[in-house]
Amino acid sequence: MTEQMNGNANTGSDLKSDEKLKSELLTLNMGPQHPATHGVLRVEIKTDSEIVAQAIPHIGYLHRCMEKHCEHLDYRGIIPFCDRMDYLAAMSMEWGYALAIEKMIGQEVPKRAEYIRTIIGELQRIASHLMFYGTYAIDLGAFSPFLYAFQERETILRLFEEISGARLLYNYIWIGGVWNDLTDDHLQRIVRFCDKMDGELEKYDKLVGQNQIFIGRTAHVGVITPEQCYDYGLTGPMLRGSGIDWDLRKKRPYSLYGELDFDVVVGRGEKGQLGDCWDRYYVRWAEMKESLKIIRQCLDGIEEGPYMGKVKKIIKLPVGEIYMRSECPRGELGYHIVSKGGKTPYRVKVKSSCFTHISILGEIAPGQMVADLVASIGSTDIVLGEVDR
Amino acid sequence: MHNDLALKINTEVSGAQATAHIAEVGDSSIAVDSAHILKICECLKNDGFNVLQTISGVDYPGEEAGTDGHIELNYILADFHEDRELILKTNVRRGTAEKLGTIASVVGVWKAADWQERECYDMLGVHFLNHPDLRRILCPDDWEGFPLRKDYVVAEKYRDMTINPADKMNFYDREFFAKQKAVDKAAKQAAASAGE
């Protein structure tokens, strides 16, 4: 299958170079409502027969100008807005924001809250990667993996719903701690979830990752070189998929990550070339395993105590600015917060990883088949809420 | 680190006027002259800053009426080999919609700048010279005004659609803060008069 796909790709490039066969370019609009674009993204594709000559992503359909909203809100009021940017990894978005504010005001976070945050953050990572796993399989024509993935994702969302009151937009991680405590029952359920997930992950890999059709569709497709990664500023699984050992949880450990033992998964070009779609799939799949490892260590170490620190009633940031990065499921999230000393920030800039990731599409698309472009878009794992903010 | 880098920029690029601002809380930064931004960025890339993470623009309108004010651009750079991070600041004239403030584009140095500069143009109205494709990115192409400027007022209609209804939620927010301000002011005055 792999060879056959390669064969096709080669004929493709021959076709393109062969002047006689060169036809008129056809403009094809994929999106804004297309299942493969994972939201409201429009890709303007100029095709030369089956081959993509140019792909121009058009974004902004979900633009709500959250950054402007933030300028009118107090520091606590911004947290729900962070949720609504990346609605599939809302906990991680809140966490990044809380980290920035805590660093700026020198807020101490109780140990138990740090444990809870790490557990929740990693569960969120698993939930987000499961979403990727399910929808990516659908993109490539396999429907049943989606149902398996969503069954497990549901377990996580149920738990989140119990502790925070919401399934997707939590407002759970607050400045100085977390809103609600985890009970022993919750912890027991997380233990059971981890035990079940071990077997499930193996099943998922057999079902999709080692599937010959899946390998045929993703290996050697959408290759991103390490140089391109740096040039476009890619982060997270996209960067690690190209074989670069870079994870903020290791390089600039925040919260408890410095004390925990886990590995950074990088792509190795196992099934095809380094930095292809399969590598990015593999990084996300293996990262779920690492997350389970982290959660288990936190469950062992979690201690009794307060889950919310003592925070001033009105939070005022000192005059100055901060740029705080954190490792979200989709990549590095950065908050650039400028304060003039008042109750509201002067400027909040959100550096979204999805925004950066989708910008490389125009570079990797030319020369691909249209169906491979779908595989490439899916492998970037974008959430349009975060792209448009 | 910031002082050394500022010195390096000044020796390699004449007229850069790089000055390091060491902050007590939060992040430190280096401020440079906007006229030489391209050369400074090239110099920093050669120094190892291989990633442009984002360009974050901050609007500072003139304090008094008649003064123009400026837009501060923060180029947030990172070095993924030695794990360094740098905020590079430069000021651009604010200008008006007809005649925007200009600065050289750095797309030639980092490709990531392409979309970051487009966002900056869209949101704050900074014209990047020699940018390959300077269009709006988040707002529609025929949108008027630059949303992240402090004096931005949303138009009432866009293509005959009401986009800024009088009873929208933000209106209450604004009212709430205005009230809060009045209460604070009254409390301060009361405290001052009690002191006398």
Side-chain angles (χ1 to χ4, degrees):
Chain A
M1 191 69 190
T2 317
E3 279 167 19
Q4 198 187 335
M5 290 307 291
N6 284 342
N8 281 350
N10 286 339
T11 4
S13 51
D14 285 348
L15 270 178
K16 213 181 163 210
S17 58
D18 198 337
E19 278 302 313
K20 267 183 256 169
L21 282 171
K22 206 164 190 177
S23 52
E24 225 175 279
L25 291 186
L26 172 83
T27 306
L28 189 71
N29 267 306
M30 197 162 102
Q33 271 98 25
H34 187 284
T37 55
H38 295 232
V40 276
L41 164 74
R42 179 163 69 97
V43 187
E44 191 184 331
I45 310 168
K46 301 234 176 0
T47 59
D48 180 1
S49 64
E50 274 279 314
I51 311 299
V52 177
Q54 199 189 5
I56 310 162
H58 293 274
I59 61 170
Y61 292 94
L62 212 56
H63 179 57
R64 297 147 291 178
C65 214
M66 294 295 196
E67 294 168 4
K68 187 81 175 177
H69 284 293
C70 292
E71 288 173 12
H72 299 284
L73 292 163
D74 61 24
Y75 287 104
R76 281 195 185 91
I78 292 171
I79 296 178
F81 283 74
C82 299
D83 286 339
R84 279 149 184 80
M85 286 184 228
D86 183 351
Y87 39 78
L88 294 180
M91 289 286 188
S92 315
M93 297 295 283
E94 292 167 8
W95 197 4
Y97 174 74
L99 282 172
I101 303 294
E102 281 156 10
K103 195 172 171 192
M104 203 66 178
I105 59 177
Q107 174 71 42
E108 292 267 331
V109 179
K111 197 83 177 169
R112 186 175 173 85
E114 293 281 25
Y115 274 111
I116 294 177
R117 282 178 177 194
T118 317
I119 293 172
I120 295 299
E122 293 305 319
L123 280 176
Q124 180 76 84
R125 192 180 307 274
I126 294 176
S128 169
H129 284 349
L130 281 176
M131 180 86 183
F132 159 78
Y133 171 87
T135 51
Y136 195 39
I138 286 193
D139 284 353
L140 301 178
F143 189 76
S144 42
F146 175 78
L147 300 173
Y148 285 110
F150 265 53
Q151 209 171 358
E152 295 314 311
R153 184 168 173 265
E154 193 59 33
T155 318
I156 300 176
L157 294 193
R158 286 259 167 88
L159 185 90
F160 283 0
E161 190 180 5
E162 268 179 39
I163 58 172
S164 73
R167 281 170 59 83
L168 282 179
L169 309 164
Y170 310 107
N171 192 8
Y172 178 70
I173 294 179
W174 279 6
I175 296 159
V178 293
W179 175 63
N180 195 2
D181 201 2
L182 288 185
T183 60
D184 287 341
D185 178 47
H186 292 138
L187 295 175
Q188 283 302 321
R189 273 164 61 192
I190 297 171
V191 171
R192 282 204 296 278
F193 169 78
C194 289
D195 292 342
K196 191 180 175 206
M197 204 59 200
D198 277 333
E200 290 287 315
L201 281 176
E202 295 307 322
K203 185 164 84 188
Y204 294 168
D205 197 40
K206 266 189 209 148
L207 199 59
V208 170
Q210 304 304 325
N211 183 316
Q212 282 304 312
I213 301 172
F214 181 79
I215 295 172
R217 288 294 305 275
T218 53
H220 298 288
V221 170
V223 177
I224 302 175
T225 63
E227 288 71 38
Q228 280 176 330
C229 280
Y230 289 138
D231 217 11
Y232 279 89
L234 304 189
T235 48
M238 297 282 281
L239 186 69
R240 292 192 283 276
S242 294
I244 298 161
D245 178 8
W246 180 274
D247 191 322
L248 272 186
R249 292 174 294 168
K250 278 269 183 226
K251 298 280 176 183
R252 297 182 162 217
Y254 52 91
S255 191
L256 292 175
Y257 286 118
E259 307 160 19
L260 298 168
D261 170 44
F262 62 99
D263 297 321
V264 177
V265 188
V266 292
R268 296 190 302 266
E270 214 174 291
K271 301 286 175 191
Q273 244 166 303
L274 182 68
D276 61 9
C277 291
W278 195 88
D279 272 352
R280 290 194 279 281
Y281 154 79
Y282 169 75
V283 166
R284 293 201 179 92
W285 174 78
E287 241 171 45
M288 286 196 260
K289 277 182 156 182
E290 297 304 318
S291 293
L292 289 178
K293 225 189 218 175
I294 295 172
I295 295 171
R296 286 211 171 93
Q297 288 171 47
C298 290
L299 288 171
D300 289 341
I302 191 162
E303 50 196 62
E304 291 297 316
Y307 53 90
M308 187 73 193
K310 282 204 176 79
V311 191
K312 277 187 190 149
K313 220 170 187 184
I314 294 169
I315 296 174
K316 278 187 182 174
L317 253 62
V319 180
E321 66 179 325
I322 189 162
Y323 183 70
M324 187 74 198
R325 291 145 80 189
S326 61
E327 185 80 34
C328 278
R330 283 176 185 74
E332 273 176 31
L333 167 79
Y335 282 100
H336 182 226
I337 298 171
V338 181
S339 163
K340 274 190 161 182
K343 282 183 230 168
T344 57
Y346 190 69
R347 170 89 161 95
V348 178
K349 159 86 192 173
V350 185
K351 184 257 166 186
S352 138
S353 48
C354 296
F355 182 84
T356 342
H357 292 172
I358 199 68
S359 72
I360 201 171
L361 195 66
E363 171 108 0
I364 59 172
Q368 284 187 340
M369 312 263 274
V370 178
D372 289 345
L373 183 67
V374 172
S376 297
I377 295 175
S379 77
T380 52
D381 188 21
I382 42 165
V383 166
L384 270 300
E386 196 193 342
V387 173
D388 298 338
R389 279 157 286 147
Chain B
M1 183 189 103
H2 288 83
N3 283 321
D4 299 343
L5 266 176
L7 197 71
K8 192 173 169 187
I9 294 171
N10 278 332
T11 45
E12 286 194 17
V13 183
S14 60
Q17 297 172 16
T19 42
H21 291 283
I22 309 297
E24 282 173 27
V25 265
D27 286 343
S28 307
S29 57
I30 292 180
V32 295
D33 185 29
S34 65
H36 303 277
I37 191 75
L38 189 59
K39 275 191 182 155
I40 294 163
C41 285
E42 275 165 2
C43 161
L44 284 170
K45 195 183 182 186
N46 292 335
D47 192 63
F49 286 97
N50 51 0
V51 172
L52 170 72
Q53 302 208 53
T54 185
I55 300 175
S56 156
V58 189
D59 183 27
Y60 291 98
E63 297 269 303
E64 295 149 31
T67 51
D68 193 28
H70 63 270
I71 288 169
E72 180 189 79
L73 294 180
N74 296 282
Y75 293 74
I76 302 178
L77 314 176
D79 179 351
F80 273 31
H81 294 302
E82 285 171 39
D83 189 15
R84 291 181 297 167
E85 197 180 279
L86 176 70
I87 300 180
L88 185 73
K89 279 177 186 295
T90 183
N91 288 341
V92 181
R93 195 175 50 81
R94 253 176 126 235
T96 54
E98 292 79 34
K99 207 169 174 291
L100 295 173
T102 55
I103 187 167
S105 163
V106 294
V107 177
V109 188
W110 301 281
K111 291 224 180 86
D114 185 344
W115 278 35
Q116 295 293 348
E117 285 175 357
R118 273 178 69 188
E119 192 193 331
C120 212
Y121 162 70
D122 188 3
M123 291 287 125
L124 286 141
V126 178
H127 186 87
F128 290 91
L129 299 168
N130 297 325
H131 186 285
D133 183 23
L134 196 66
R135 291 179 287 130
R136 284 187 180 264
I137 187 163
L138 294 171
C139 294
D141 285 341
D142 53 355
W143 196 260
E144 275 174 30
F146 303 103
L148 280 181
R149 287 197 175 191
K150 293 287 175 188
D151 53 3
Y152 174 73
V153 182
V154 190
E156 230 162 74
K157 292 210 166 192
Y158 169 70
R159 294 196 176 187
D160 277 347
M161 290 180 284
T162 308
I163 53 168
N164 193 15
D167 57 347
K168 76 169 183 182
M169 206 180 83
N170 238 22
F171 174 78
Y172 296 106
D173 269 3
R174 252 179 276 160
E175 218 174 38
F176 170 79
F177 279 113
K179 246 185 223 165
Q180 197 84 354
K181 222 174 195 176
V183 170
D184 283 358
K185 205 175 168 186
K188 233 179 224 174
Q189 268 174 358
S193 56
E196 280 165 19

